[in-house]
Amino acid sequence: MTGFQEPYRPQYHFSPRRNWMNDPNGLLYANGLYHLFYQYNPFGDQWGHMSWGHAVSRDLVHWEHKPVALWETEEGMVFSGSAVYDLENTSGLGTADTPPLVAIYTAHYKSTEKQAQHLAYSTDWGQSWQLYPGNPVLDIEARDFRDPKVFWYAPEAKWIMVVALAAERQVHFYASKNLREWTFLSAFGPAGAVEGVWECPDLFPLAVDGDPRILYWVLKVDLNPGGPVGGSGGQYFIGHFDGQRFIPEAPVGADRTHARWLDYGADFYAATTWFGTPQEDKHRLWVGWMNNWLYAQAVPTSPWRGQLSLPRQVSLRRIDGQLYLVQTPVPSLSTLRRQHWDIQNRPIPEGTSLLPVRGKTLELIAELAVGKAWRVGLKVRVGEHEETVIGYEVATQRVFVDRRHSGLVAFHPEFAARHEAQLPLRAGKLQLHVWVDWSSVEVFAGEGQVVFTELIFPDPESEGVAVFAEGGEAQLVSLKAWTLASAQG
Ligand code: FRU
């Protein structure tokens, strides 16, 4: 395929050929294919005319672009939602031989600005979609009632919907036997961070450390504004779900000091899990919109605007006695690895030293020993006048990503910023897994319990990678680095 060479064009992150995208929607695995739908404006590079764009992949790395799946209608826009494979044809929208894929989404009515839940279905594996004639399937005459995420609750053989009452800072749970008739079960919230509206909830069980006997449920809710570093962002709650209600493990006040953030960077929003992936109890797979509502309409890209994070495995791990949501990019990304460097036990003198590693699409796996330094780290996309800094500050025990001098930053006053998160060292060492693309950096620190997802807009010439130490000498215990091939070829 030609194209995908414009300045800042993601090389191994998903972006539409042209026009605006926001949230991933309707993520579904069926028949060997990963489906990705997404909030899309078919007519321009600003938010509007919301429809569902569509792409498919066999490996979550290479994506084939498909025609728009669900178009805006006279009645309203097609907002975020989910999709399921209705294997038993509980909905009756397919047949026993041809079970349907069913999308459950929010219709945003143009005349009233109210929101209600609608269905669409496909009996040809997602090639074409029909709107369900009995829509809406769930309407409470509310203005901020959106983003239904539906999953199969096997213990009671029923579908569960988790949906946001955005302005109330609540999520509501509903149940259905057929996807068409829904019964209210319970509400959760306000809790945790509540400064902004609540959007895009998701709920799923995970075994702690892969042990099926220790199961917890994760409730994820996004928030806009009031995210961890301003603007939009996501939080999670750990607890139990009994088929009726979500009970957090410990009481959670409606106060941001209780919030557990999904990501400490500025650009991870509206993440949602794939329905029906293998090994679901061990880990879920999800992807987020790599952007922030603060400046999403102003990011300097053309002819597209908006991209996704890397698809990630999400699991629950007990670390130092506490449960954490841990994220790691999907293993299939290793097929993109090309040129390789392996550096070991290299002293990091005070100051900044360039490494032989260069590139603007890179994967770096680093271990750093802080030694006598009070600040230490890596720099990527280093050019004559710019750099993106990924570091650690010993005194505060904080990892940080500093994009203040990362390249183009002036398109929004709050873009140039330094973001940080608490993370204790392991025997004086820091583990970093870093992914660099033409307009992003994603940092997975520690075991992946601290993640930073950040857009950056450096000069294409800025390909340097460096290490630095301040206050004393440190050590690069090991660095494995690869250039990554474009997934757009
Ligand atoms: C989140 C969101 C959703 C809504 C969609 C509209 O980014 O605001 O709540 O369904 O975007 O595009």
Side-chain angles (χ1 to χ4, degrees):
M1 195 205 310
T2 51
F4 285 94
Q5 291 295 313
E6 306 92 342
Y8 313 126
R9 174 65 92 170
Q11 297 299 301
Y12 62 94
H13 288 82
F14 180 84
S15 61
R17 264 184 231 285
R18 53 187 307 113
N19 295 331
W20 166 273
M21 82 172 290
N22 54 291
D23 314 354
N25 293 152
L27 305 184
L28 165 78
Y29 178 73
N31 213 14
L33 271 190
Y34 293 93
H35 288 267
L36 160 66
F37 302 88
Y38 54 92
Q39 287 289 281
Y40 185 57
N41 179 358
F43 305 108
D45 65 2
Q46 295 286 316
W47 186 88
H49 300 289
M50 297 321 294
S51 302
W52 277 25
H54 186 200
V56 295
S57 174
R58 293 196 174 274
D59 61 2
L60 294 167
V61 176
H62 300 87
W63 292 97
E64 185 189 332
H65 295 268
K66 293 287 195 187
V68 169
L70 299 174
W71 289 88
E72 171 190 40
T73 66
E74 289 276 295
E75 186 185 32
M77 290 194 270
V78 183
F79 273 19
S80 285
S82 52
V84 299
Y85 178 28
D86 182 15
L87 181 65
E88 309 273 336
N89 191 33
T90 62
S91 62
L93 295 170
T95 62
D97 291 340
T98 319
L101 305 184
V102 181
I104 308 96
Y105 62 89
T106 299
H108 176 90
Y109 301 130
K110 288 177 193 164
S111 56
T112 60
E113 302 237 309
K114 287 185 180 166
Q115 301 178 341
Q117 316 322 322
H118 283 210
L119 301 184
Y121 61 99
S122 169
T123 49
D124 58 6
W125 298 108
Q127 298 286 337
S128 63
W129 292 83
Q130 281 75 46
L131 302 184
Y132 171 55
N135 283 332
V137 293
L138 179 55
D139 185 356
I140 58 168
E141 295 279 323
R143 273 174 156 254
D144 284 293
F145 182 47
R146 61 177 177 269
D147 309 338
K149 172 71 181 170
V150 174
F151 65 92
W152 180 247
Y153 186 69
E156 294 176 26
K158 66 185 185 188
W159 299 102
I160 298 286
M161 178 196 294
V162 47
V163 57
L165 265 292
E168 283 86 346
R169 280 70 165 159
Q170 280 195 337
V171 296
H172 285 189
F173 302 99
Y174 285 83
S176 173
K177 288 283 182 187
N178 57 19
L179 295 168
R180 292 183 278 107
E181 294 147 315
W182 293 92
T183 315
F184 176 77
L185 297 174
S186 64
F188 175 79
V194 294
E195 284 89 341
V197 294
W198 275 22
E199 299 184 320
C200 301
D202 200 346
L203 176 69
F204 47 90
L206 279 174
V208 175
D209 297 319
D211 181 347
R213 290 165 307 178
I214 317 173
L215 206 69
Y216 280 87
W217 287 74
V218 175
L219 174 63
K220 177 234 107 175
V221 187
D222 292 294
L223 158 92
N224 179 37
V229 298
S232 48
Q235 61 183 324
Y236 67 98
F237 304 92
I238 295 176
H240 295 283
F241 181 71
D242 61 4
Q244 298 286 320
R245 69 193 76 246
F246 176 81
I247 305 116
E249 198 198 6
V252 205
D255 153 4
R256 66 188 285 117
T257 60
H258 286 101
R260 308 196 59 183
W261 302 114
L262 296 178
D263 200 291
Y264 294 87
D267 300 306
F268 189 71
Y269 198 64
T272 181
T273 55
W274 261 277
F275 176 92
T277 49
Q279 295 193 296
E280 274 196 330
D281 51 336
K282 287 212 181 59
H283 52 69
R284 299 277 154 159
L285 296 177
W286 76 13
V287 70
W289 180 42
M290 192 153 57
N291 219 326
N292 190 311
W293 278 114
L294 257 188
Y295 43 70
Q297 318 244 10
V299 296
T301 63
S302 173
W304 84 101
R305 192 176 270 121
Q307 56 177 301
L308 297 182
S309 74
L310 288 176
R312 303 168 183 179
Q313 290 182 347
V314 182
S315 52
L316 270 185
R317 235 176 257 172
R318 198 175 288 282
I319 303 172
D320 298 331
Q322 225 203 320
L323 287 181
Y324 286 91
L325 197 71
V326 163
Q327 302 180 61
T328 39
V330 292
S332 51
L333 284 159
S334 64
T335 57
L336 297 176
R337 289 173 177 174
R338 294 296 182 269
Q339 192 184 348
H340 181 53
W341 294 267
D342 204 337
I343 299 173
Q344 281 182 31
N345 298 321
R346 179 187 165 122
I348 309 176
E350 272 200 84
T352 293
S353 340
L354 276 173
L355 296 174
V357 181
R358 285 184 68 77
K360 35 186 196 202
T361 53
L362 289 170
E363 178 187 355
L364 310 171
I365 301 178
E367 187 169 51
L368 296 114
V370 298
K372 299 204 163 47
W374 51 271
R375 198 181 284 154
V376 58
L378 298 171
K379 297 181 177 181
V380 297
R381 300 305 306 267
V382 178
E384 228 176 303
H385 305 291
E386 59 193 39
E387 59 188 27
T388 299
V389 188
I390 302 151
Y392 193 79
E393 208 163 68
V394 179
T396 56
Q397 299 201 315
R398 285 171 174 260
V399 196
F400 64 89
V401 176
D402 188 344
R403 65 173 181 192
R404 284 176 298 178
H405 307 288
S406 55
L408 273 193
V409 295
F411 58 88
H412 189 278
E414 285 174 70
F415 184 82
R418 181 185 184 278
H419 304 134
E420 52 180 44
Q422 196 81 22
L423 182 72
L425 295 173
R426 287 258 169 261
K429 292 180 195 142
L430 172 70
Q431 285 76 31
L432 294 174
H433 197 169
V434 179
W435 300 77
V436 178
D437 201 344
W438 285 14
S439 52
S440 62
V441 53
E442 278 160 280
V443 177
F444 299 82
E447 298 178 36
Q449 72 271 42
V450 168
V451 184
F452 295 84
T453 306
E454 313 267 18
L455 292 175
I456 50 170
F457 300 98
D459 190 290
E461 305 277 301
S462 300
E463 296 203 337
V465 176
V467 284
F468 72 95
E470 287 170 34
E473 189 179 290
Q475 199 188 31
L476 184 57
V477 179
S478 70
L479 173 68
K480 293 184 193 317
W482 293 266
T483 59
L484 298 178
S486 174
Q488 312 289 355

